[in-house]
Amino acid sequence: MSEEQNLSTKEIENKENNNKYLEYRKSRVKRIKRFLIIALIISILIPNVLCIYLLIRVNSLQNMLDSLSEQLNYIEELKKANLEAMNKADEQKLVEEIEEEEVIVSDEILYPGKKLVYLTFDDGPSKFTDDILDILKQYDVKATFFVLAKEGYDSQYQRMIDEGHVLAIHSYTHQYKTIYESVSAYRTDVTDMKDFLSSRYGYDARFYRFPGGSSNQVSQVDKNELFKVLDDENLCYVDWNVSSQDASAKKLSAESIYQNVIKGVESHNSSVVLMHDAADKSTTVEALSMIIEKLLEDGNVEILPISEGTDFARHVLPSEKE
Ligand code: ZN
């Protein structure tokens, strides 16, 4: 019995041990299962969370990129607009500069190989102005009139303009002593005459001839001061290199005047011819047709009015000290 008892106690112990072992196994399997499930869940969750996080990140970066590229485009457009504006401004500036810079082409270049003759008449208008204008019209020749301010000659001033001649300033009073007394007296004479032509006939004179020429000995004032006045008034002064000598003390015949002009013209390629449009110069009018006919006979001569492209035949130059 005791042995039997012993056996059964052992069996019971064994059974208990077995049970314990089984329970232990069970709980272990359970733990492993739980661990595996958790590991599975984690292994699924983490990449998903990471994916979502990365997607959000990518999205925000994409937005940032979009906004940056928009800004870049805007900057590029601004740069382009600026460049275009600058180019336009440069172009405009260049055009203005070209316009400002008067390009003067000399008559010598305009009429290559030609002998150039400029017929000029001082001291008009006079009772002979219409005759002179008629002759010029007859030959279709344009001349230059260095006029004074005179009453009662409106139609003559107007004819000179209408018929395409150049009106230029000679003097308002033609009183040498008064004009050359001082710089201010000189300026007054010049501006009075300029105003006379512009206010009465709407004519903007560009050329000027000194009474007595730029080499006159009457002026006590430094010539450079006078040149400056002309500069201020936007006037170019013109002298002459061929004189008809029709203002000589002794009245010349038409033939002498004609000879003087033709001889003078022969020795110059560009001749500024001095003649007078005055009440006592009837022989000048008589000589005029002969002179023009002779000049036109020579097919190589071009009779022109004074322009910016003319060689002004100056006696004294602005830079020269007297
Ligand atoms: Zn004169």
mmCIF file of all heavy atoms in Angstrom, residues 5 19 29 32 58 66 84 89 95 104 135 147 171 179 197 212 215 218 223-224 230 258 263 282 284 296 300:
data_model
loop_
_atom_site.group_PDB
_atom_site.id
_atom_site.type_symbol
_atom_site.label_atom_id
_atom_site.label_comp_id
_atom_site.label_asym_id
_atom_site.label_seq_id
_atom_site.Cartn_x
_atom_site.Cartn_y
_atom_site.Cartn_z
ATOM 1 N N GLN A 5 0.779 3.770 -2.644
ATOM 2 C CA GLN A 5 0.578 5.176 -2.279
ATOM 3 C C GLN A 5 1.684 6.056 -2.833
ATOM 4 O O GLN A 5 1.431 7.120 -3.377
ATOM 5 C CB GLN A 5 0.538 5.337 -0.740
ATOM 6 C CG GLN A 5 -0.851 5.370 -0.267
ATOM 7 C CD GLN A 5 -0.897 5.532 1.257
ATOM 8 O OE1 GLN A 5 0.095 5.294 1.972
ATOM 9 N NE2 GLN A 5 -2.092 5.845 1.781
ATOM 10 N N ASN A 19 1.191 19.174 -16.203
ATOM 11 C CA ASN A 19 0.242 20.282 -16.371
ATOM 12 C C ASN A 19 0.957 21.632 -16.370
ATOM 13 O O ASN A 19 0.664 22.514 -17.169
ATOM 14 C CB ASN A 19 -0.788 20.262 -15.242
ATOM 15 C CG ASN A 19 -1.925 19.310 -15.602
ATOM 16 O OD1 ASN A 19 -2.072 18.923 -16.768
ATOM 17 N ND2 ASN A 19 -2.695 18.912 -14.625
ATOM 18 N N VAL A 29 3.538 30.070 -26.040
ATOM 19 C CA VAL A 29 3.030 30.154 -27.422
ATOM 20 C C VAL A 29 2.205 31.422 -27.576
ATOM 21 O O VAL A 29 2.313 32.164 -28.549
ATOM 22 C CB VAL A 29 2.209 28.892 -27.771
ATOM 23 C CG1 VAL A 29 1.400 29.104 -29.049
ATOM 24 C CG2 VAL A 29 3.133 27.694 -27.932
ATOM 25 N N ILE A 32 4.432 34.367 -27.735
ATOM 26 C CA ILE A 32 5.087 34.443 -29.059
ATOM 27 C C ILE A 32 4.090 34.930 -30.106
ATOM 28 O O ILE A 32 4.395 35.804 -30.919
ATOM 29 C CB ILE A 32 5.683 33.060 -29.458
ATOM 30 C CG1 ILE A 32 6.906 32.759 -28.591
ATOM 31 C CG2 ILE A 32 6.093 33.051 -30.944
ATOM 32 C CD1 ILE A 32 7.411 31.333 -28.700
ATOM 33 N N VAL A 58 6.754 65.419 -49.308
ATOM 34 C CA VAL A 58 6.948 65.624 -50.756
ATOM 35 C C VAL A 58 5.992 66.688 -51.265
ATOM 36 O O VAL A 58 6.357 67.571 -52.025
ATOM 37 C CB VAL A 58 6.753 64.284 -51.519
ATOM 38 C CG1 VAL A 58 6.544 64.526 -53.007
ATOM 39 C CG2 VAL A 58 7.970 63.392 -51.312
ATOM 40 N N ASP A 66 7.024 74.839 -56.419
ATOM 41 C CA ASP A 66 6.125 75.562 -57.314
ATOM 42 C C ASP A 66 6.200 77.059 -57.052
ATOM 43 O O ASP A 66 6.307 77.862 -57.988
ATOM 44 C CB ASP A 66 4.673 75.081 -57.123
ATOM 45 C CG ASP A 66 4.457 73.721 -57.773
ATOM 46 O OD1 ASP A 66 5.374 73.285 -58.505
ATOM 47 O OD2 ASP A 66 3.397 73.111 -57.543
ATOM 48 N N GLU A 84 14.171 95.077 -71.871
ATOM 49 C CA GLU A 84 13.467 95.658 -73.020
ATOM 50 C C GLU A 84 13.334 97.162 -72.853
ATOM 51 O O GLU A 84 13.556 97.923 -73.791
ATOM 52 C CB GLU A 84 12.082 95.018 -73.167
ATOM 53 C CG GLU A 84 12.116 93.785 -74.062
ATOM 54 C CD GLU A 84 10.804 93.028 -74.045
ATOM 55 O OE1 GLU A 84 9.767 93.609 -73.681
ATOM 56 O OE2 GLU A 84 10.836 91.825 -74.382
ATOM 57 N N ALA A 89 14.979 102.466 -74.175
ATOM 58 C CA ALA A 89 15.504 103.765 -73.729
ATOM 59 C C ALA A 89 16.792 104.088 -74.480
ATOM 60 O O ALA A 89 16.991 105.214 -74.941
ATOM 61 C CB ALA A 89 15.751 103.740 -72.224
ATOM 62 N N VAL A 95 18.367 107.684 -81.047
ATOM 63 C CA VAL A 95 17.599 108.419 -82.057
ATOM 64 C C VAL A 95 17.653 109.902 -81.759
ATOM 65 O O VAL A 95 17.888 110.729 -82.648
ATOM 66 C CB VAL A 95 16.130 107.911 -82.091
ATOM 67 C CG1 VAL A 95 15.246 108.856 -82.898
ATOM 68 C CG2 VAL A 95 16.069 106.518 -82.684
ATOM 69 N N ILE A 104 25.316 117.801 -91.404
ATOM 70 C CA ILE A 104 25.416 118.765 -92.491
ATOM 71 C C ILE A 104 26.257 118.166 -93.610
ATOM 72 O O ILE A 104 27.404 117.790 -93.413
ATOM 73 C CB ILE A 104 26.052 120.085 -91.994
ATOM 74 C CG1 ILE A 104 25.145 120.712 -90.917
ATOM 75 C CG2 ILE A 104 26.259 121.049 -93.158
ATOM 76 C CD1 ILE A 104 25.801 121.787 -90.124
ATOM 77 N N ILE A 135 14.233 138.515 -112.642
ATOM 78 C CA ILE A 135 15.340 137.893 -113.398
ATOM 79 C C ILE A 135 15.653 136.501 -112.834
ATOM 80 O O ILE A 135 15.798 135.528 -113.585
ATOM 81 C CB ILE A 135 16.591 138.798 -113.379
ATOM 82 C CG1 ILE A 135 16.296 140.109 -114.132
ATOM 83 C CG2 ILE A 135 17.804 138.080 -113.985
ATOM 84 C CD1 ILE A 135 17.336 141.207 -113.918
ATOM 85 N N VAL A 147 19.170 141.168 -95.875
ATOM 86 C CA VAL A 147 18.280 142.339 -95.875
ATOM 87 C C VAL A 147 18.417 143.232 -94.643
ATOM 88 O O VAL A 147 18.971 142.845 -93.611
ATOM 89 C CB VAL A 147 16.804 141.890 -96.002
ATOM 90 C CG1 VAL A 147 16.546 141.262 -97.364
ATOM 91 C CG2 VAL A 147 16.447 140.920 -94.868
ATOM 92 N N SER A 171 21.437 143.706 -91.261
ATOM 93 C CA SER A 171 21.419 144.624 -90.113
ATOM 94 C C SER A 171 20.025 145.204 -89.968
ATOM 95 O O SER A 171 19.244 145.200 -90.929
ATOM 96 C CB SER A 171 22.431 145.743 -90.350
ATOM 97 O OG SER A 171 22.215 146.800 -89.444
ATOM 98 N N ILE A 179 26.001 150.356 -84.506
ATOM 99 C CA ILE A 179 25.973 148.892 -84.351
ATOM 100 C C ILE A 179 27.218 148.381 -83.636
ATOM 101 O O ILE A 179 27.140 147.546 -82.730
ATOM 102 C CB ILE A 179 25.891 148.212 -85.744
ATOM 103 C CG1 ILE A 179 24.584 148.580 -86.440
ATOM 104 C CG2 ILE A 179 26.020 146.705 -85.627
ATOM 105 C CD1 ILE A 179 24.590 148.248 -87.931
ATOM 106 N N LEU A 197 12.025 139.944 -88.952
ATOM 107 C CA LEU A 197 11.695 138.919 -89.948
ATOM 108 C C LEU A 197 10.745 137.857 -89.392
ATOM 109 O O LEU A 197 9.850 137.396 -90.102
ATOM 110 C CB LEU A 197 12.970 138.242 -90.471
ATOM 111 C CG LEU A 197 13.895 139.123 -91.324
ATOM 112 C CD1 LEU A 197 15.142 138.349 -91.723
ATOM 113 C CD2 LEU A 197 13.179 139.647 -92.573
ATOM 114 N N GLY A 212 29.864 145.590 -93.657
ATOM 115 C CA GLY A 212 31.304 145.761 -93.867
ATOM 116 C C GLY A 212 32.079 144.443 -93.826
ATOM 117 O O GLY A 212 33.300 144.437 -93.960
ATOM 118 N N SER A 215 35.582 141.271 -91.562
ATOM 119 C CA SER A 215 36.921 141.886 -91.473
ATOM 120 C C SER A 215 36.841 143.413 -91.392
ATOM 121 O O SER A 215 37.859 144.088 -91.526
ATOM 122 C CB SER A 215 37.748 141.483 -92.695
ATOM 123 O OG SER A 215 37.052 141.826 -93.885
ATOM 124 N N VAL A 218 35.608 148.952 -88.658
ATOM 125 C CA VAL A 218 34.799 149.916 -87.901
ATOM 126 C C VAL A 218 34.630 149.465 -86.449
ATOM 127 O O VAL A 218 34.711 150.269 -85.520
ATOM 128 C CB VAL A 218 33.404 150.085 -88.556
ATOM 129 C CG1 VAL A 218 32.592 151.153 -87.841
ATOM 130 C CG2 VAL A 218 33.541 150.398 -90.033
ATOM 131 N N LYS A 223 36.045 141.090 -82.027
ATOM 132 C CA LYS A 223 35.147 140.351 -82.938
ATOM 133 C C LYS A 223 34.625 139.055 -82.302
ATOM 134 O O LYS A 223 33.493 138.655 -82.566
ATOM 135 C CB LYS A 223 35.874 140.015 -84.243
ATOM 136 C CG LYS A 223 36.217 141.230 -85.090
ATOM 137 C CD LYS A 223 35.116 141.571 -86.095
ATOM 138 C CE LYS A 223 35.350 142.916 -86.764
ATOM 139 N NZ LYS A 223 36.572 142.997 -87.550
ATOM 140 N N ASN A 224 35.475 138.450 -81.476
ATOM 141 C CA ASN A 224 35.027 137.193 -80.863
ATOM 142 C C ASN A 224 33.779 137.394 -80.001
ATOM 143 O O ASN A 224 32.962 136.488 -79.870
ATOM 144 C CB ASN A 224 36.157 136.561 -80.044
ATOM 145 C CG ASN A 224 37.165 135.903 -80.971
ATOM 146 O OD1 ASN A 224 36.830 135.034 -81.771
ATOM 147 N ND2 ASN A 224 38.416 136.360 -80.902
ATOM 148 N N LEU A 230 26.293 136.119 -82.236
ATOM 149 C CA LEU A 230 25.687 135.392 -83.363
ATOM 150 C C LEU A 230 25.417 133.938 -82.988
ATOM 151 O O LEU A 230 24.365 133.382 -83.329
ATOM 152 C CB LEU A 230 26.597 135.465 -84.594
ATOM 153 C CG LEU A 230 26.826 136.862 -85.170
ATOM 154 C CD1 LEU A 230 27.792 136.795 -86.352
ATOM 155 C CD2 LEU A 230 25.520 137.512 -85.604
ATOM 156 N N TYR A 258 29.763 142.747 -114.471
ATOM 157 C CA TYR A 258 29.732 141.414 -115.081
ATOM 158 C C TYR A 258 31.143 140.818 -115.124
ATOM 159 O O TYR A 258 31.362 139.667 -114.710
ATOM 160 C CB TYR A 258 29.135 141.532 -116.495
ATOM 161 C CG TYR A 258 29.372 140.344 -117.385
ATOM 162 C CD1 TYR A 258 28.568 139.221 -117.318
ATOM 163 C CD2 TYR A 258 30.413 140.361 -118.332
ATOM 164 C CE1 TYR A 258 28.787 138.128 -118.152
ATOM 165 C CE2 TYR A 258 30.633 139.271 -119.164
ATOM 166 C CZ TYR A 258 29.822 138.155 -119.070
ATOM 167 O OH TYR A 258 30.044 137.082 -119.888
ATOM 168 N N LYS A 263 35.183 136.907 -113.690
ATOM 169 C CA LYS A 263 36.615 136.673 -113.394
ATOM 170 C C LYS A 263 36.781 136.043 -112.016
ATOM 171 O O LYS A 263 37.551 135.100 -111.830
ATOM 172 C CB LYS A 263 37.382 138.004 -113.442
ATOM 173 C CG LYS A 263 38.007 138.264 -114.811
ATOM 174 C CD LYS A 263 38.910 139.478 -114.750
ATOM 175 C CE LYS A 263 39.092 140.073 -116.149
ATOM 176 N NZ LYS A 263 39.478 141.474 -116.112
ATOM 177 N N SER A 282 21.464 150.428 -110.129
ATOM 178 C CA SER A 282 20.734 150.007 -111.336
ATOM 179 C C SER A 282 21.611 149.137 -112.239
ATOM 180 O O SER A 282 21.116 148.207 -112.893
ATOM 181 C CB SER A 282 20.243 151.236 -112.111
ATOM 182 O OG SER A 282 21.353 152.042 -112.492
ATOM 183 N N THR A 284 23.757 146.969 -111.420
ATOM 184 C CA THR A 284 23.818 145.581 -110.915
ATOM 185 C C THR A 284 22.671 144.785 -111.534
ATOM 186 O O THR A 284 22.870 143.644 -111.974
ATOM 187 C CB THR A 284 23.704 145.563 -109.371
ATOM 188 O OG1 THR A 284 24.731 146.376 -108.818
ATOM 189 C CG2 THR A 284 23.819 144.159 -108.817
ATOM 190 N N LEU A 296 25.327 129.878 -116.519
ATOM 191 C CA LEU A 296 24.542 128.698 -116.924
ATOM 192 C C LEU A 296 25.061 128.079 -118.217
ATOM 193 O O LEU A 296 24.872 126.885 -118.461
ATOM 194 C CB LEU A 296 23.058 129.054 -117.042
ATOM 195 C CG LEU A 296 22.348 129.419 -115.730
ATOM 196 C CD1 LEU A 296 20.881 129.779 -115.978
ATOM 197 C CD2 LEU A 296 22.424 128.277 -114.711
ATOM 198 N N ASN A 300 28.955 123.192 -116.079
ATOM 199 C CA ASN A 300 29.576 122.676 -114.853
ATOM 200 C C ASN A 300 29.303 123.554 -113.631
ATOM 201 O O ASN A 300 29.803 123.279 -112.549
ATOM 202 C CB ASN A 300 31.086 122.544 -115.081
ATOM 203 C CG ASN A 300 31.700 121.546 -114.147
ATOM 204 O OD1 ASN A 300 31.070 120.539 -113.826
ATOM 205 N ND2 ASN A 300 32.911 121.839 -113.681
#
